[in-house]
Amino acid sequence: MAEEPGGPRFVIVGAGMAGILSAIKLQEAGLDDFVIYEKADRLGGTWRENTYPGVACDVPSHLYSYSFAPNPGWSHVFSPGGEILRYFEDVAARFGVDRRIRYGTEICGMEFRDGRWHVETSTGEHDAADYVIAATGVLHHPAYPDIEGLDDFAGALFHSARWDHDVDLAGKRVGIIGTGSTAVQIVCSIVEEVAELALFQRTAQWVLPVPNPEIPPDVQDQYRADPVLMASVRDDLSRTFSDNFANAVVDAESEQVKQIQAMCLANLEGNVTDPDLREKLRPDYRAACKRLVVAPDFYQKVQHPSARVVTDHIVRVEPGGVRTDDGVLHELDVLVLATGFRVDRFMRPIDVRGRDGTSLEDVWAQRPSAYLAISIPEFPNLFMLNGPNGPVGNFSLIEVAELQFAYIMKLVDAARRAGARSVSATHAAAERFEAERTEAAARTVWVTGCRSWYLDDRGVPAAWPWTFDRFREVMAAPRLEDFELSGS
Ligand code: NAP
């Protein structure tokens, strides 16, 4: 089947950071036949969904921005979530891609048939496209803990990514289950407002104390006046993150990982005065094994008189609160589940059918995988941004998505030049990548003895296990021999 006149049509799934990016880049490339389907009524992805108190990005804002749309006006080094959401809305409007979003339209199925993707929406519409970009995010599907009695709780109960803003926390007894980045931000934000705060900790966290100063108006003005300075700030941050974090965690024995551990330890020893509490908060695994928590004042906040850290195991939730295995009922008015996300879902529950009806659910029955996190054999012309086993961690997923999208564009261009209508990774390339990745993962800090969302069902990190520099190199140009091109 020939491409439609006017060039190929693209369907973008999701109007979060990566979907907006895709639309802007397609438009820039003159590939103007595209639509973004968004199930919600607002763009912004994770920044639309996470509205909990204290939500912020712990990647510096000048790095957590599109390279082509710097924002001289960021208020803080790590700006709050609402400001980030406004940034994406502003960029989408400025580049004119907001009007290309079909809100309230969830894609429920898509099938590759007769050389094109046939897409079905929840509203009963059909669309057909040459290419699909799945920009559906990673930390998207809330994980609800398997704790007895959750439904019996008489107070307000919600997941951190489904915050109930009708519940006034002032003067309430609030419980938080979880001690990840989310829980830490919530604790720091609400501890002074609530009557009591019980933090239910299953595993202690290493906490890197990085200050979050305001960016003064005169500095913002300097950035506004000097785009070259603005770009160099971003480049410097990118280099610093690559060298000190992304490149380091893939080598558990690296000096940088040892330095991170030393800084976290000094934070714990120097800032938690009560020896019992200090021991409760002391992790028994290496720093950066779990995703590092970045917070300037978590230890100060958790020592507030209204806060207590509960390390006794949760037995069940009862109408009046949380019962722990020491027999104590922690009486609560509000219970927050800061229990993270189901990170193996990706574009599911969309029913995705590739060549000859191959079901993605079947292909991913064991666990999700994709060649270079981007392309799946037998699923031609379907590309993922921030797909399975890509770089995740304490660095900018915007930078990752930009590199991936540029790669996809080069691949599409190369396929079209070769007269091919469809392109997908070969089985051999996908298997080789998976084998090399699994082997390299054994040297990372993520397998040094902790439980985390980085690990798959086998305990293998579901993440890019090499340096970020290697990721940049690999993304620079597709190896066409790793792809199957077909259909002239
Ligand atoms: P998370 O890191 O997966 O943490 C989930 C927490 O819930 C863990 O402490 C976990 O304990 C606990 N938990 C889960 N099930 C439990 C159960 N049944 N009983 C008791 N405790 C249970 O989730 P998150 O904090 O939402 O963060 C997810 C990711 O989002 C982060 O790692 C980060 O990548 C991103 N994030 C980023 C920022 C930012 O500033 N950029 C902010 C928030 C989130 P265990 O540790 O024992 O498993």
Side-chain angles (χ1 to χ4, degrees), residues 46-47 50 52 54-59 64 78-79 139 143-147 159-161 176-185 200-205 285 290-294 313-314 337-341 343 392-395 397 451-454:
T46 200
W47 303 104
N50 286 277
Y52 59 80
V55 60
C57 185
D58 61 12
V59 174
Y64 193 80
F78 305 101
S79 299
L139 300 160
Y144 288 87
D146 186 14
I147 298 174
H159 190 276
S160 56
I176 300 175
I177 300 181
T179 49
S181 303
T182 300
V184 164
Q185 289 180 338
F200 295 94
Q201 171 186 288
R202 186 166 68 179
T203 311
Q205 287 277 5
Y285 55 87
K290 289 164 93 70
R291 204 267 193 184
L292 198 64
V293 170
V294 179
H313 187 74
I314 296 173
L337 307 174
T339 43
F341 299 88
V343 295
V392 287
N394 293 71
F395 49 85
L397 285 186
R451 163 179 48 202
S452 80
W453 64 262
Y454 291 154

Side-chain angles (χ1 to χ4, degrees), residues 284-305:
D284 61 359
Y285 55 87
R286 289 204 227 172
C289 180
K290 289 164 93 70
R291 204 267 193 184
L292 198 64
V293 170
V294 179
D297 54 358
F298 172 62
Y299 291 141
Q300 290 79 355
K301 293 288 170 92
V302 88
Q303 291 172 91
H304 189 275

Side-chain angles (χ1 to χ4, degrees), residues 6-29:
R9 177 166 173 77
F10 288 77
V11 156
I12 300 166
V13 190
M17 171 278 286
I20 302 295
L21 163 75
S22 306
I24 293 170
K25 288 291 164 186
L26 285 175
Q27 188 171 264
E28 192 180 283

